[in-house]
Amino acid sequence: MGIIIQKFGGSSVADTEKLLKVCEHITKTYEKGNKVVVVVSAQGKTTDKLIEEELEITNTPSKREHDVLVSVGEQITISKLAMCLNNQGYNAISYLGWQLPIITNDTHGNSNIIKINTDKILTQLNKNNIVIVAGFQGITKDGDITTLGRGGSDTTAVALAAYLKADKLYIYTDVDGVYSEDPNTNSKAIKLNEISYNKMINMSKNGAKVLHTKCVELAKKYNVPIHVKSTFKKGTGTIVKQLLS
Ligand code: ADP
Ligand code: ASP
Ligand code: MG
């Protein structure tokens, strides 16, 4: 029992049926007496579509307006997921980055988190409510919306785990763990039960998008083990943690 963070990526929340599967993970954890904080990405290819629509207008958008646009997808997911949970009789409340707030620097499109105010989350958890946070986004101290870089919801989840001193962080995705190589393009890829922060940072930098590089760097800094699991398939997944090698 304690604070559990569960993050679900775009393919895990792609449609209503999948959102209901996500609800199963959340409510199962909640029913065990845990306080649950959920981080979600935009549904399916929503962020890609927003960028395509941006390109119909301009190749050189203002960086500020780019972030206002591409952060929109996560707002759709948090509200829908809260509604699904409410329908099932659970009290759930959603927050965008600015509502907490999650303060970042002003490097639009690739911002870093400076500080998270956890007051609202803790108040809701103490009322036994499930908290759903939009991944990928924050706000500068001057009030401009920012995004953390493509795949950045992973980083939101790790940062929340660090600030909330969460007992466990799960990153649920469309593969059942971290593999030696991308299992979707290499049938010989081997699933790893565990991997060190350093090795995972190297893999992410070399394109293993299963975890956002900044998320693993942050996990290493705050010593937050990351449990990578499949949303759809049972299994132990992979733990990314401090290892001697
Ligand atoms: P999510 O939408 O859950 O954030 P991503 O698409 O960002 O998921 O990351 C999951 C994908 O990462 C997998 O579908 C897989 O194709 C890819 N991937 C690349 N390298 C690896 C690896 N070494 N291990 C596992 N998955 C990998
Ligand atoms: N929706 C954002 C993206 O597509 C963030 C994420 O998926 O983590 O990059
Ligand atoms: Mg991702």
Side-chain angles (χ1 to χ4, degrees):
M1 290 208 294
I3 298 182
I4 309 283
I5 314 268
Q6 297 182 328
K7 180 262 169 178
F8 298 91
S11 45
S12 300
V13 294
D15 54 34
T16 305
E17 197 187 326
K18 289 184 173 153
L19 281 176
L20 294 175
K21 183 73 199 165
V22 163
C23 287
E24 280 177 30
H25 288 287
I26 298 169
T27 56
K28 205 171 143 195
T29 306
Y30 177 86
E31 291 295 352
K32 286 183 184 155
N34 297 297
K35 297 186 183 301
V36 188
V37 178
V38 184
V39 176
V40 281
S41 301
Q43 291 186 282
K45 301 275 176 219
T46 302
T47 312
D48 290 338
K49 286 203 196 102
L50 290 168
I51 292 172
E52 277 169 27
E53 287 169 26
E54 176 180 88
L55 287 170
E56 286 170 14
I57 299 168
T58 174
N59 287 325
T60 53
S62 131
K63 289 180 175 174
R64 181 187 183 281
E65 301 313 328
H66 169 83
D67 276 347
V68 174
L69 178 64
V70 298
S71 59
V72 164
E74 276 70 12
Q75 181 162 352
I76 298 172
T77 322
I78 58 169
S79 55
K80 285 189 182 175
L81 184 58
M83 288 176 201
C84 289
L85 288 163
N86 292 161
N87 261 352
Q88 296 178 22
Y90 294 91
N91 289 326
I93 180 161
S94 70
Y95 290 107
L96 290 163
W98 64 266
Q99 291 177 297
L100 292 174
I102 295 174
I103 304 287
T104 73
N105 64 14
D106 61 3
T107 311
H108 284 286
N110 193 21
S111 300
N112 289 327
I113 294 172
I114 296 170
K115 188 178 180 292
I116 300 180
N117 186 332
T118 54
D119 291 355
K120 285 182 184 156
I121 297 177
L122 291 171
T123 303
Q124 294 298 332
L125 291 178
N126 286 333
K127 289 188 201 165
N128 286 325
N129 293 338
I130 295 166
V131 177
I132 303 165
V133 178
F136 181 53
Q137 56 176 259
I139 190 162
T140 66
K141 61 177 174 26
D142 294 330
D144 290 321
I145 289 171
T146 53
T147 58
L148 308 179
R150 295 303 309 271
S153 299
D154 296 334
T155 299
T156 307
V158 171
L160 278 170
Y163 274 86
L164 290 165
K165 296 190 173 45
D167 293 72
K168 273 205 172 147
L169 164 66
Y170 293 95
I171 293 199
Y172 285 95
T173 184
D174 59 357
V175 284
D176 61 354
V178 177
Y179 281 70
S180 53
E181 285 153 283
D182 185 343
N184 287 327
T185 54
N186 190 331
S187 58
K188 295 208 173 98
I190 296 161
K191 204 194 108 200
L192 310 170
N193 291 326
E194 54 181 30
I195 181 170
S196 69
Y197 292 125
N198 286 341
K199 283 188 181 157
M200 191 65 235
I201 289 168
N202 278 335
M203 279 177 70
S204 300
K205 279 188 179 161
N206 288 321
K209 70 167 184 164
V210 62
L211 290 177
H212 196 224
T213 309
K214 278 199 274 188
C215 118
V216 195
E217 288 169 345
L218 208 60
K220 181 185 173 188
K221 181 173 171 189
Y222 292 101
N223 198 19
V224 175
I226 306 172
H227 299 254
V228 180
K229 278 162 111 50
S230 163
T231 305
F232 308 106
K233 212 172 125 185
K234 281 209 163 95
T236 48
T238 302
I239 303 180
V240 186
K241 62 179 186 182
Q242 193 69 58
L243 288 172
L244 292 178
S245 58

